[in-house]
Amino acid sequence: MPGERRVRMGRIVGVSGVRGWVKLESWAEPRLAIFDYQPWLLETGPGEFRELRGARGREQGKGLVAELPGVADRDQAAALIGTPVWVPRAALPALPAGEYYWTDLEDLEVVTVEGAALGRVSHLFETGAHPVLVVRDGDRERLIPFVPGQYVRSVDVDDGRMVVDWDPEF
């Protein structure tokens, strides 16, 4: 597991009942898909992970609840509140050409079509209309709409580079 890429897929946010079930926040789409990606890597401390296989769960109200192997009572479940849930990047299915997982775009070098360096992708966020790239270069931060063909001209994950049609002064 050292050096293996991981993707944060959710976190444990509470307990459900007395038999060790947990309430789960999922960032998978659809949210129940988090159970399709196994093993889970529970982040027990900075850079420390506990592998967990066989988590299962269901929707309950507006959230998810999960049964975790080895967690048999409410006290054990309560000790996990706040624990991030990661999965190995390799557990995610391959995507068609031209589609990307956000995690694959993070840390790409971003340059303009003229070759001006803008920085690196820090992260993305959703606005409703389209995702937005947060590109950082030192203290400078740029917000660039992730609109392929219009602002994003090319993405080369293997080469670690993204070309954008963007004014470097903006």
Side-chain angles (χ1 to χ4, degrees):
M1 194 166 59
E4 178 182 43
R5 290 193 61 204
R6 295 176 292 275
V7 179
R8 189 170 172 181
M9 295 295 286
R11 68 186 176 105
I12 297 170
V13 295
V15 297
S16 179
V18 297
R19 294 191 175 152
W21 284 60
V22 297
K23 293 180 182 178
L24 185 65
E25 179 180 21
S26 169
W27 300 315
E29 188 60 44
R31 65 185 179 171
L32 270 174
I34 193 170
F35 297 105
D36 297 337
Y37 310 124
Q38 304 261 343
W40 285 3
L41 306 170
L42 301 183
E43 188 173 1
T44 57
E48 296 176 16
F49 296 89
R50 178 178 123 208
E51 186 174 298
L52 185 131
R53 293 180 182 273
R56 61 186 190 93
R58 65 177 186 273
E59 290 183 305
Q60 182 171 301
K62 293 183 179 182
L64 297 179
V65 294
E67 180 181 30
L68 308 179
V71 179
D73 64 42
R74 188 174 182 86
D75 291 337
Q76 289 176 318
L80 294 173
I81 293 174
T83 300
V85 176
W86 299 76
V87 298
R89 168 60 182 87
L92 301 178
L95 293 173
E99 291 186 25
Y100 310 94
Y101 288 111
W102 285 9
T103 189
D104 294 335
L105 300 176
E106 292 171 355
D107 205 38
L108 290 184
E109 174 189 20
V110 180
V111 297
T112 67
V113 291
E114 294 84 20
L118 299 180
R120 293 195 170 275
V121 176
S122 166
H123 61 282
L124 292 92
F125 63 90
E126 186 61 59
T127 64
H130 47 72
V132 173
L133 297 161
V134 178
V135 179
R136 289 195 178 136
D137 183 23
D139 290 338
R140 178 127 193 220
E141 184 176 271
R142 292 179 177 88
L143 304 179
I144 302 173
F146 187 78
V147 182
Q150 185 174 358
Y151 301 114
V152 177
R153 293 300 174 96
S154 67
V155 175
D156 189 335
V157 173
D158 294 332
D159 229 13
R161 187 178 176 126
M162 180 184 301
V163 177
V164 297
D165 188 358
W166 198 254
D167 183 348
E169 299 305 315
F170 190 66

